Amino acid sequence: MHQGCAAVICVLAVLGLEVAALGECELARLLQDKLQYEMRLKYMKHNFPIDYTLRVQHEEVLRTANITRLRDGKVSEVSLRYLWFHVCSQAVLHILEVLPEKHPSHEYTQGLSQLLDDLGMEYSGYQQSDVDTVVADLVKQLHSGDSRQKAVRPKALLDNCLKVLRMLFGTHCRWDSA
């Protein structure tokens, strides 16, 4: 964990404040820290059976190439971050659905879910009119559950979440090197 984030969490804990008081960039940084390679490998690969996959909707696999295509279509960065939030939240929820409470990866995945819930508070005031139409349609389709399914490994879902997180938040939040 980065020293600055650890210090902020420590101060918030002493003051009795929740992580939800943090802004979008701080929460994204905490998510980036929690999505480190070693943690994804341990909790999403080593703790699952070999070649284990989840059935997810096609829209739940958000890759950097998808973001580039949407950027080329002049979709706003705010809309792209909003889309990323919904896709990653759904991915983490799908992973949680298959994990028994005593599974070694449950606590880690629950922690990711909590950070995403906190980030969701940042986006809770958004209206359909605040995001580009193409993103609003994708989010609507994502939550409808009416699209094609594909098999994806849990680690791959989180790998994509991290890559897109770095792509969307690195410049926006002025991170040194994401």
Side-chain angles (χ1 to χ4, degrees):
M1 183 181 261
H2 290 67
Q3 294 288 21
C5 291
V8 169
I9 291 174
C10 181
V11 169
L12 289 174
V14 169
L15 295 174
L17 300 174
E18 294 186 23
V19 177
L22 296 173
E24 179 185 43
C25 288
E26 291 86 1
L27 289 167
R29 174 65 88 177
L30 290 172
L31 273 165
Q32 177 182 257
D33 292 344
K34 197 154 180 86
L35 288 169
Q36 290 176 25
Y37 175 74
E38 293 81 16
M39 295 175 98
R40 292 190 326 272
L41 191 64
K42 176 181 178 181
Y43 292 112
M44 295 295 123
K45 184 173 181 181
H46 295 160
N47 287 345
F48 280 86
I50 294 173
D51 295 328
Y52 182 83
T53 58
L54 297 167
R55 301 290 302 168
V56 298
Q57 294 179 81
H58 189 264
E59 293 78 17
E60 290 177 83
V61 181
L62 184 65
R63 295 186 172 102
T64 55
N66 303 116
I67 296 300
T68 301
R69 202 169 315 129
L70 289 167
R71 278 180 172 165
D72 290 346
K74 306 299 183 214
V75 173
S76 73
E77 292 295 309
V78 170
S79 293
L80 293 173
R81 289 192 301 274
Y82 181 78
L83 174 63
W84 170 86
F85 160 74
H86 281 278
V87 170
C88 287
S89 295
Q90 285 294 109
V92 169
L93 287 176
H94 277 297
I95 294 167
L96 269 174
E97 286 173 359
V98 300
L99 293 175
E101 257 186 64
K102 293 187 180 191
H103 191 280
S105 298
H106 190 272
E107 187 176 327
Y108 169 77
T109 310
Q110 188 65 49
L112 289 173
S113 181
Q114 183 59 52
L115 283 172
L116 286 163
D117 287 348
D118 293 342
L119 187 59
M121 296 302 288
E122 293 289 315
Y123 298 120
S124 63
Y126 279 48
Q127 305 293 324
Q128 289 284 63
S129 59
D130 294 335
V131 296
D132 292 283
T133 306
V134 67
V135 168
D137 291 344
L138 283 168
V139 170
K140 185 177 176 183
Q141 188 170 1
L142 179 71
H143 291 292
S144 74
D146 295 336
S147 73
R148 296 175 301 169
Q149 299 267 309
K150 66 187 296 180
V152 183
R153 291 186 173 104
K155 183 181 171 295
L157 287 171
L158 295 187
D159 290 347
N160 288 333
C161 284
L162 178 63
K163 289 174 189 173
V164 175
L165 167 89
R166 289 177 172 165
M167 183 180 199
L168 294 175
F169 289 88
T171 303
H172 170 68
C173 295
R174 295 182 179 91
W175 296 341
D176 299 331
S177 61

